[in-house]
Amino acid sequence: MWKILLVEDEPFVRRSIRSSIPWEEHGFMIAGEASHGKEALALIEELMPDIILSDIIMPYMDGIELLKEVRKNGSEAIFIMLTCANEFEYARMALEYGASSYILKLSMNDDQLIQALNKAKLQLMQQTKRQRQSRQDSLQADLPLLWKSMLGKELSGDEERRLSDFRTAEQQYGQLVLLSALSGWRSLDAAWLRERVPVTGGQEVVCSYSDMGQTTFFVWGGLPLPARFGLHEGFPIHGSPETRRNDGPVVCRTVSRERTVEEEWLHNLEMLDSAYYGGEDGGIPNGPRDMLTIQREKAGFAAVPWELEREIIRAFEDGSLAECRQKLADIWGYMRDMRMHMVLVKETAERFDKIFSRISQKAALRTEDIRHAVSHQAVQTALLANMEQYARGRGRSAYPETDHPEINKIIRYVRGNYDQDISLQAMAAYVNMAENYLSVLFKKKTGDTFINYLQQIRVSEAKFYLEQTELPVALIGERAGFANPSYFFKVFKRWTGLTPSEFRAEHKNQERP
């Protein structure tokens, strides 16, 4: 029912208009009346009418001034102006300022009034549609930030502010239902959703986010569903049996306002993990975890243990593909046992892919098969296929050679063990040389001191991880061989002029050649 405010200084005219047509039969109601513009302004703030049916010439504040003030205050109420025969110039001005139409009071009849109201109704419907689309576009634009927050990734100050605005905005739309599907390569859209679930008739706000082989729909105010649905349990999917068989695993839940959207979304994905790992129930949590736990776990298992990852890197550097395959199989077994989220598994696989590309000095291959895989084994298979491509024609890695075999031996050791505690004294013992003699010889053969050479290798490795991963900065420093974060920051800034965080921000989303 569209609300109307009637603004007219002559009481008998207001009575005449109020009794002229059956308002509710046409979808309208007279919400209030005012005798001039100033009185109307106060009522507009209180009643928030959709349509203002206003005389033009009134005391205190006329209809033109009222229209200007209403627009200045941000209201998009539709104005229908009432005018006399000698007020056409005022009527023209009203149209210029955005009035929908005007009616001559002396000749006004029911048909003219209904025609003007129907025109206003159409404008209101289009206005409502635009507003809903604008709100939907705004919510849709911020879903990637919600995804990052859910996975415990670092947000910039601007991203934090946008996410805060998202939380405020989305709660205005009442009930929120999350529906997550293990979509793989399929493109799921709102039409797919409406074919399978009982929406309420077009008044809902629907957004979706697809990444890492999953698609999640966010539906505000449109799905009258029970509070919880388990994987394949009680979810009212419509369509033919064949359609339901092909849909794959689907999880749906009504968001509890006692928890964050991230917690509820994460729990949906955890339930999809069951299907990703082959339908086993082990390791699937009974309820959503608090964000403090999520953040803590993210810092701890953003990747597989570095000891295991390092073994794969060294095997690939040495050209030992059989060993590399076996180590990858071991890691995939570890991730299965730990029930790592499929998203984290795929991030790990993509990180390995980038490392293989860098070591082989070949252009990075496409990783869509990794991202869209719907099973743990399929991710491993896709990574192995890329690894084989990177390994073709490589043999053993070529280290920069000098004309001195002992210096070459040290270089090979440093490149393979840069993450360990390495000193010139230890290297002197390694090649059975005096420390002072080795220091002079190393600089003569390589053009740099041993400490500088080691630091440059470590900084180079740190730069790669900062550019290509979202691992915590402190963890990257540890993996690159720096004893502690403060020493890492000091050395890194010495060689790059930037702190690790500044370097990451500057090179974000840039692919290393």
Side-chain angles (χ1 to χ4, degrees):
M1 196 74 68
W2 301 107
K3 294 188 295 183
I4 296 176
L5 175 63
L6 179 56
V7 188
E8 166 61 58
D9 61 323
E10 300 182 54
F12 78 92
V13 175
R14 294 203 303 269
R15 289 195 300 269
S16 175
I17 293 174
R18 192 169 58 243
S19 61
S20 61
I21 63 173
W23 297 91
E24 293 189 2
E25 289 183 14
H26 294 279
F28 304 98
M29 62 175 289
I30 302 292
E33 298 180 17
S35 58
H36 52 76
K38 285 189 175 181
E39 185 180 357
L41 276 178
L43 286 174
I44 289 169
E45 186 174 348
E46 175 187 343
L47 300 176
M48 299 181 65
D50 303 299
I51 299 172
I52 298 173
L53 188 59
S54 174
D55 193 6
I56 291 182
I57 303 300
M58 297 180 295
Y60 305 111
M61 179 183 286
D62 63 29
I64 301 294
E65 288 302 315
L66 174 62
L67 173 56
K68 290 180 182 179
E69 286 297 315
V70 167
R71 291 292 180 258
K72 188 187 299 183
N73 294 338
S75 171
E76 296 185 9
I78 304 297
F79 270 76
I80 300 174
M81 310 304 290
L82 303 176
T83 184
C84 295
N86 61 349
E87 298 170 355
F88 279 116
E89 180 60 23
Y90 290 103
R92 184 189 63 78
M93 290 175 60
L95 293 176
E96 287 182 359
Y97 284 114
S100 172
S101 57
Y102 68 90
I103 303 174
L104 290 173
K105 287 196 287 186
L106 294 179
S107 61
M108 180 175 62
N109 57 45
D110 294 354
D111 289 340
Q112 287 178 317
L113 182 55
I114 291 172
Q115 183 179 0
L117 290 170
N118 284 337
K119 179 182 177 183
K121 182 193 295 185
L122 180 60
Q123 291 175 313
L124 286 167
M125 293 171 64
Q126 293 171 340
Q127 188 182 99
T128 300
K129 184 178 180 180
R130 287 195 303 270
Q131 291 171 345
R132 185 166 64 244
Q133 186 62 52
S134 176
R135 292 193 297 265
Q136 181 168 313
D137 291 345
S138 178
L139 292 170
Q140 180 70 53
D142 289 334
L143 289 183
L145 301 182
L146 194 71
W147 173 266
K148 288 179 65 175
S149 175
M150 177 188 68
L151 297 177
K153 299 183 185 297
E154 183 178 355
L155 299 180
S156 68
D158 180 62
E159 288 175 330
E160 290 282 7
R161 286 188 293 273
R162 285 175 54 194
L163 191 57
S164 177
D165 291 342
F166 171 90
R167 297 187 202 284
T168 301
E170 72 87 11
Q171 291 187 6
Q172 298 175 2
Y173 306 122
Q175 184 188 65
L176 170 61
V177 172
L178 294 183
L179 184 146
S180 301
L182 199 59
S183 51
W185 284 94
R186 293 177 299 158
S187 179
L188 308 186
D189 55 17
W192 176 91
L193 176 70
R194 289 190 173 92
E195 288 175 1
R196 290 159 176 79
V197 298
V199 296
T200 60
Q203 296 305 309
E204 69 283 350
V205 176
V206 180
C207 300
S208 65
Y209 185 82
S210 296
D211 197 7
M212 293 297 189
Q214 67 81 42
T215 297
T216 296
F217 290 94
F218 296 72
V219 187
W220 285 272
L223 296 178
L225 300 173
R228 290 288 181 272
F229 286 94
L231 192 66
H232 289 305
E233 294 177 0
F235 181 63
I237 294 181
H238 295 171
S240 67
E242 183 64 25
T243 296
R244 293 196 295 271
R245 280 196 300 272
N246 292 334
D247 272 339
V250 176
V251 180
C252 187
R253 71 180 55 253
T254 301
V255 170
S256 166
R257 291 308 183 181
E258 296 176 358
R259 290 182 285 270
T260 66
V261 178
E262 292 102 307
E263 288 174 308
E264 299 282 20
W265 191 4
L266 183 62
H267 193 52
N268 268 21
L269 298 188
E270 287 173 335
M271 296 186 73
L272 289 182
D273 281 342
S274 175
Y276 167 82
Y277 280 110
E280 301 173 23
D281 295 328
I284 303 301
N286 293 323
R289 298 167 296 170
D290 60 84
M291 288 307 294
L292 179 62
T293 302
I294 295 168
Q295 295 281 355
R296 186 165 56 245
E297 289 184 356
K298 178 60 180 173
F301 69 88
V304 296
W306 174 233
E307 293 75 15
L308 299 179
E309 187 170 316
R310 182 176 57 204
E311 291 177 0
I312 290 178
I313 295 171
R314 289 177 177 171
F316 189 81
E317 285 178 331
D318 291 341
S320 304
L321 293 188
E323 182 183 358
C324 194
R325 293 188 198 97
Q326 181 57 54
K327 297 297 183 183
L328 277 173
D330 293 343
I331 282 181
W332 248 249
Y334 168 86
M335 289 189 289
R336 174 184 288 276
D337 293 342
M338 295 298 294
R339 276 303 190 273
M340 284 179 63
H341 290 306
M342 63 177 176
V343 173
L344 298 181
V345 173
K346 292 176 180 182
E347 287 181 347
T348 300
E350 287 191 313
R351 184 168 64 253
F352 277 130
D353 187 89
K354 289 184 175 78
I355 291 171
F356 295 153
S357 168
R358 181 170 183 248
I359 293 172
S360 65
Q361 298 183 341
K362 293 182 179 180
L365 298 172
R366 296 168 64 89
T367 58
E368 281 82 355
D369 286 343
I370 291 173
R371 298 185 71 86
H372 291 95
V374 296
S375 73
H376 193 56
Q377 183 60 49
V379 176
Q380 181 184 6
T381 300
L383 176 61
L384 284 171
N386 278 10
M387 186 195 75
E388 300 283 353
Q389 291 288 331
Y390 290 127
R392 286 181 182 176
R394 278 196 69 247
R396 295 182 62 84
S397 298
Y399 295 104
E401 295 290 327
T402 70
D403 61 0
H404 197 291
E406 302 304 321
I407 298 300
N408 292 339
K409 183 178 179 182
I410 291 174
I411 288 173
R412 284 193 291 271
Y413 182 88
V414 168
R415 287 187 173 273
N417 298 274
Y418 58 84
D419 59 316
Q420 303 296 304
D421 183 15
I422 300 176
S423 65
L424 180 64
Q425 182 181 13
M427 290 299 95
Y430 180 59
V431 293
N432 197 24
M433 286 184 182
E435 184 177 342
N436 290 339
Y437 175 74
L438 175 60
S439 177
V440 174
L441 180 63
F442 191 92
K443 185 171 184 179
K444 179 180 178 181
K445 297 300 180 180
T446 65
D448 212 340
T449 66
F450 176 78
I451 293 300
N452 282 353
Y453 186 85
L454 175 60
Q455 286 183 354
Q456 288 185 71
I457 290 175
R458 287 172 168 171
V459 168
S460 176
E461 292 302 312
K463 286 165 66 176
F464 170 77
Y465 279 100
L466 289 166
E467 289 175 352
Q468 303 292 355
T469 78
E470 295 191 52
L471 293 175
V473 170
L475 182 58
I476 290 174
E478 180 184 333
R479 289 189 170 195
F482 292 96
N484 56 67
S486 61
Y487 181 59
F488 173 40
F489 290 4
K490 178 180 177 180
V491 173
F492 191 89
K493 189 164 186 178
R494 173 191 166 197
W495 287 101
T496 68
L498 301 169
T499 67
S501 295
E502 290 170 343
F503 181 89
R504 168 173 274 173
E506 188 173 293
H507 293 78
K508 193 174 184 180
N509 298 324
Q510 293 182 7
E511 288 294 331
R512 183 181 179 124

mmCIF file of all heavy atoms in Angstrom, residues 22 39 87 125 173 176 212 249-250 263 268 320 331 370 377 390 396 417 432 438 479:
data_model
loop_
_atom_site.group_PDB
_atom_site.id
_atom_site.type_symbol
_atom_site.label_atom_id
_atom_site.label_comp_id
_atom_site.label_asym_id
_atom_site.label_seq_id
_atom_site.Cartn_x
_atom_site.Cartn_y
_atom_site.Cartn_z
ATOM 1 N N PRO A 22 -12.033 5.389 -4.143
ATOM 2 C CA PRO A 22 -11.721 4.354 -3.134
ATOM 3 C C PRO A 22 -10.215 4.084 -3.141
ATOM 4 O O PRO A 22 -9.721 3.232 -3.891
ATOM 5 C CB PRO A 22 -12.526 3.139 -3.613
ATOM 6 C CG PRO A 22 -12.664 3.339 -5.086
ATOM 7 C CD PRO A 22 -12.732 4.812 -5.322
ATOM 8 N N GLU A 39 4.009 22.723 7.671
ATOM 9 C CA GLU A 39 3.364 21.632 8.397
ATOM 10 C C GLU A 39 3.663 20.294 7.722
ATOM 11 O O GLU A 39 3.884 19.276 8.384
ATOM 12 C CB GLU A 39 1.861 21.886 8.463
ATOM 13 C CG GLU A 39 1.088 20.881 9.303
ATOM 14 C CD GLU A 39 -0.399 21.161 9.345
ATOM 15 O OE1 GLU A 39 -0.844 22.178 8.764
ATOM 16 O OE2 GLU A 39 -1.119 20.358 9.964
ATOM 17 N N GLU A 87 -2.072 29.359 -12.991
ATOM 18 C CA GLU A 87 -0.799 29.044 -12.321
ATOM 19 C C GLU A 87 0.090 28.119 -13.147
ATOM 20 O O GLU A 87 0.902 27.369 -12.618
ATOM 21 C CB GLU A 87 -1.076 28.394 -10.957
ATOM 22 C CG GLU A 87 -1.825 29.309 -10.001
ATOM 23 C CD GLU A 87 -2.300 28.587 -8.752
ATOM 24 O OE1 GLU A 87 -2.131 27.347 -8.683
ATOM 25 O OE2 GLU A 87 -2.853 29.247 -7.862
ATOM 26 N N MET A 125 7.582 2.022 -8.377
ATOM 27 C CA MET A 125 8.019 0.647 -8.595
ATOM 28 C C MET A 125 9.397 0.620 -9.248
ATOM 29 O O MET A 125 10.269 -0.172 -8.874
ATOM 30 C CB MET A 125 6.991 -0.098 -9.433
ATOM 31 C CG MET A 125 5.660 -0.323 -8.720
ATOM 32 S SD MET A 125 4.365 -0.980 -9.811
ATOM 33 C CE MET A 125 5.052 -2.568 -10.232
ATOM 34 N N TYR A 173 18.286 -5.840 6.316
ATOM 35 C CA TYR A 173 17.383 -6.598 5.454
ATOM 36 C C TYR A 173 16.789 -7.821 6.131
ATOM 37 O O TYR A 173 16.188 -8.671 5.490
ATOM 38 C CB TYR A 173 18.114 -7.007 4.162
ATOM 39 C CG TYR A 173 18.734 -5.832 3.465
ATOM 40 C CD1 TYR A 173 20.092 -5.785 3.208
ATOM 41 C CD2 TYR A 173 17.956 -4.739 3.089
ATOM 42 C CE1 TYR A 173 20.665 -4.697 2.586
ATOM 43 C CE2 TYR A 173 18.525 -3.646 2.464
ATOM 44 C CZ TYR A 173 19.881 -3.635 2.214
ATOM 45 O OH TYR A 173 20.447 -2.544 1.611
ATOM 46 N N LEU A 176 18.818 -13.570 6.930
ATOM 47 C CA LEU A 176 19.800 -13.912 5.910
ATOM 48 C C LEU A 176 19.948 -15.420 5.843
ATOM 49 O O LEU A 176 20.152 -16.077 6.860
ATOM 50 C CB LEU A 176 21.162 -13.273 6.222
ATOM 51 C CG LEU A 176 22.356 -13.741 5.377
ATOM 52 C CD1 LEU A 176 22.132 -13.442 3.899
ATOM 53 C CD2 LEU A 176 23.641 -13.093 5.868
ATOM 54 N N MET A 212 37.269 -21.006 -5.571
ATOM 55 C CA MET A 212 37.823 -22.262 -5.078
ATOM 56 C C MET A 212 36.822 -23.418 -5.207
ATOM 57 O O MET A 212 36.757 -24.298 -4.338
ATOM 58 C CB MET A 212 38.271 -22.116 -3.622
ATOM 59 C CG MET A 212 39.459 -21.185 -3.446
ATOM 60 S SD MET A 212 40.947 -21.814 -4.286
ATOM 61 C CE MET A 212 42.194 -20.665 -3.676
ATOM 62 N N PRO A 249 26.615 -31.633 -3.722
ATOM 63 C CA PRO A 249 26.330 -31.297 -2.320
ATOM 64 C C PRO A 249 25.931 -29.835 -2.152
ATOM 65 O O PRO A 249 26.530 -28.936 -2.747
ATOM 66 C CB PRO A 249 27.657 -31.605 -1.619
ATOM 67 C CG PRO A 249 28.683 -31.552 -2.688
ATOM 68 C CD PRO A 249 28.020 -32.020 -3.928
ATOM 69 N N VAL A 250 24.912 -29.618 -1.342
ATOM 70 C CA VAL A 250 24.395 -28.272 -1.056
ATOM 71 C C VAL A 250 24.164 -28.163 0.454
ATOM 72 O O VAL A 250 23.630 -29.069 1.069
ATOM 73 C CB VAL A 250 23.077 -28.014 -1.814
ATOM 74 C CG1 VAL A 250 22.504 -26.659 -1.425
ATOM 75 C CG2 VAL A 250 23.280 -28.096 -3.316
ATOM 76 N N GLU A 263 31.368 -16.624 10.394
ATOM 77 C CA GLU A 263 31.312 -17.893 11.127
ATOM 78 C C GLU A 263 30.306 -18.844 10.484
ATOM 79 O O GLU A 263 30.575 -20.050 10.341
ATOM 80 C CB GLU A 263 30.936 -17.632 12.586
ATOM 81 C CG GLU A 263 32.047 -16.973 13.389
ATOM 82 C CD GLU A 263 31.593 -16.591 14.788
ATOM 83 O OE1 GLU A 263 30.566 -15.917 14.935
ATOM 84 O OE2 GLU A 263 32.286 -16.989 15.738
ATOM 85 N N ASN A 268 29.330 -23.563 6.709
ATOM 86 C CA ASN A 268 28.838 -24.146 5.460
ATOM 87 C C ASN A 268 29.971 -24.824 4.697
ATOM 88 O O ASN A 268 29.839 -25.955 4.210
ATOM 89 C CB ASN A 268 28.216 -23.059 4.574
ATOM 90 C CG ASN A 268 26.724 -22.890 4.801
ATOM 91 O OD1 ASN A 268 26.197 -23.268 5.839
ATOM 92 N ND2 ASN A 268 26.048 -22.295 3.843
ATOM 93 N N SER A 320 64.661 -34.516 -8.635
ATOM 94 C CA SER A 320 64.227 -35.847 -8.179
ATOM 95 C C SER A 320 62.702 -35.923 -8.216
ATOM 96 O O SER A 320 62.032 -35.763 -7.181
ATOM 97 C CB SER A 320 64.760 -36.117 -6.765
ATOM 98 O OG SER A 320 66.158 -35.994 -6.719
ATOM 99 N N ILE A 331 52.212 -35.109 1.809
ATOM 100 C CA ILE A 331 51.556 -33.871 2.251
ATOM 101 C C ILE A 331 50.051 -33.959 2.046
ATOM 102 O O ILE A 331 49.271 -33.501 2.887
ATOM 103 C CB ILE A 331 52.148 -32.658 1.506
ATOM 104 C CG1 ILE A 331 53.482 -32.295 2.137
ATOM 105 C CG2 ILE A 331 51.190 -31.461 1.518
ATOM 106 C CD1 ILE A 331 54.155 -31.098 1.517
ATOM 107 N N ILE A 370 43.018 -26.666 -10.542
ATOM 108 C CA ILE A 370 43.225 -26.725 -9.099
ATOM 109 C C ILE A 370 42.092 -26.011 -8.376
ATOM 110 O O ILE A 370 41.476 -26.541 -7.442
ATOM 111 C CB ILE A 370 44.581 -26.093 -8.721
ATOM 112 C CG1 ILE A 370 45.733 -26.966 -9.225
ATOM 113 C CG2 ILE A 370 44.680 -25.896 -7.209
ATOM 114 C CD1 ILE A 370 47.109 -26.345 -9.037
ATOM 115 N N GLN A 377 41.640 -35.476 -4.157
ATOM 116 C CA GLN A 377 42.505 -36.156 -5.104
ATOM 117 C C GLN A 377 42.650 -35.362 -6.391
ATOM 118 O O GLN A 377 43.726 -35.308 -6.996
ATOM 119 C CB GLN A 377 41.947 -37.554 -5.416
ATOM 120 C CG GLN A 377 42.822 -38.377 -6.357
ATOM 121 C CD GLN A 377 44.217 -38.601 -5.798
ATOM 122 O OE1 GLN A 377 44.372 -39.000 -4.646
ATOM 123 N NE2 GLN A 377 45.243 -38.328 -6.601
ATOM 124 N N TYR A 390 56.430 -28.312 -15.719
ATOM 125 C CA TYR A 390 57.546 -27.467 -15.292
ATOM 126 C C TYR A 390 58.866 -28.237 -15.324
ATOM 127 O O TYR A 390 59.934 -27.661 -15.590
ATOM 128 C CB TYR A 390 57.308 -26.952 -13.867
ATOM 129 C CG TYR A 390 56.201 -25.944 -13.741
ATOM 130 C CD1 TYR A 390 55.174 -26.138 -12.811
ATOM 131 C CD2 TYR A 390 56.174 -24.800 -14.519
ATOM 132 C CE1 TYR A 390 54.145 -25.215 -12.667
ATOM 133 C CE2 TYR A 390 55.142 -23.870 -14.392
ATOM 134 C CZ TYR A 390 54.137 -24.090 -13.467
ATOM 135 O OH TYR A 390 53.127 -23.166 -13.328
ATOM 136 N N ARG A 396 68.845 -31.343 -13.423
ATOM 137 C CA ARG A 396 69.172 -30.705 -12.145
ATOM 138 C C ARG A 396 69.234 -29.188 -12.327
ATOM 139 O O ARG A 396 69.543 -28.686 -13.400
ATOM 140 C CB ARG A 396 70.510 -31.215 -11.616
ATOM 141 C CG ARG A 396 70.481 -32.693 -11.272
ATOM 142 C CD ARG A 396 71.816 -33.142 -10.696
ATOM 143 N NE ARG A 396 72.125 -32.455 -9.461
ATOM 144 C CZ ARG A 396 71.689 -32.823 -8.269
ATOM 145 N NH1 ARG A 396 70.916 -33.878 -8.145
ATOM 146 N NH2 ARG A 396 72.023 -32.146 -7.177
ATOM 147 N N ASN A 417 69.890 -24.674 1.561
ATOM 148 C CA ASN A 417 69.672 -24.649 3.009
ATOM 149 C C ASN A 417 69.622 -23.224 3.570
ATOM 150 O O ASN A 417 69.932 -22.999 4.734
ATOM 151 C CB ASN A 417 70.805 -25.424 3.709
ATOM 152 C CG ASN A 417 70.858 -26.879 3.304
ATOM 153 O OD1 ASN A 417 70.174 -27.724 3.875
ATOM 154 N ND2 ASN A 417 71.685 -27.177 2.306
ATOM 155 N N ASN A 432 86.604 -27.503 4.672
ATOM 156 C CA ASN A 432 87.935 -27.708 5.252
ATOM 157 C C ASN A 432 88.894 -26.592 4.857
ATOM 158 O O ASN A 432 89.989 -26.828 4.346
ATOM 159 C CB ASN A 432 88.503 -29.079 4.839
ATOM 160 C CG ASN A 432 89.653 -29.523 5.714
ATOM 161 O OD1 ASN A 432 89.760 -29.086 6.868
ATOM 162 N ND2 ASN A 432 90.524 -30.366 5.176
ATOM 163 N N LEU A 438 88.738 -18.365 3.492
ATOM 164 C CA LEU A 438 87.494 -18.572 2.752
ATOM 165 C C LEU A 438 86.782 -17.243 2.510
ATOM 166 O O LEU A 438 86.207 -17.012 1.435
ATOM 167 C CB LEU A 438 86.577 -19.522 3.524
ATOM 168 C CG LEU A 438 85.182 -19.737 2.918
ATOM 169 C CD1 LEU A 438 85.283 -20.320 1.513
ATOM 170 C CD2 LEU A 438 84.339 -20.641 3.815
ATOM 171 N N ARG A 479 60.756 -18.745 7.274
ATOM 172 C CA ARG A 479 61.000 -19.673 6.166
ATOM 173 C C ARG A 479 62.197 -19.242 5.320
ATOM 174 O O ARG A 479 62.848 -20.082 4.692
ATOM 175 C CB ARG A 479 59.762 -19.761 5.274
ATOM 176 C CG ARG A 479 58.619 -20.499 5.933
ATOM 177 C CD ARG A 479 57.505 -20.752 4.959
ATOM 178 N NE ARG A 479 56.510 -21.660 5.527
ATOM 179 C CZ ARG A 479 55.589 -22.275 4.812
ATOM 180 N NH1 ARG A 479 55.516 -22.086 3.516
ATOM 181 N NH2 ARG A 479 54.740 -23.102 5.388
#
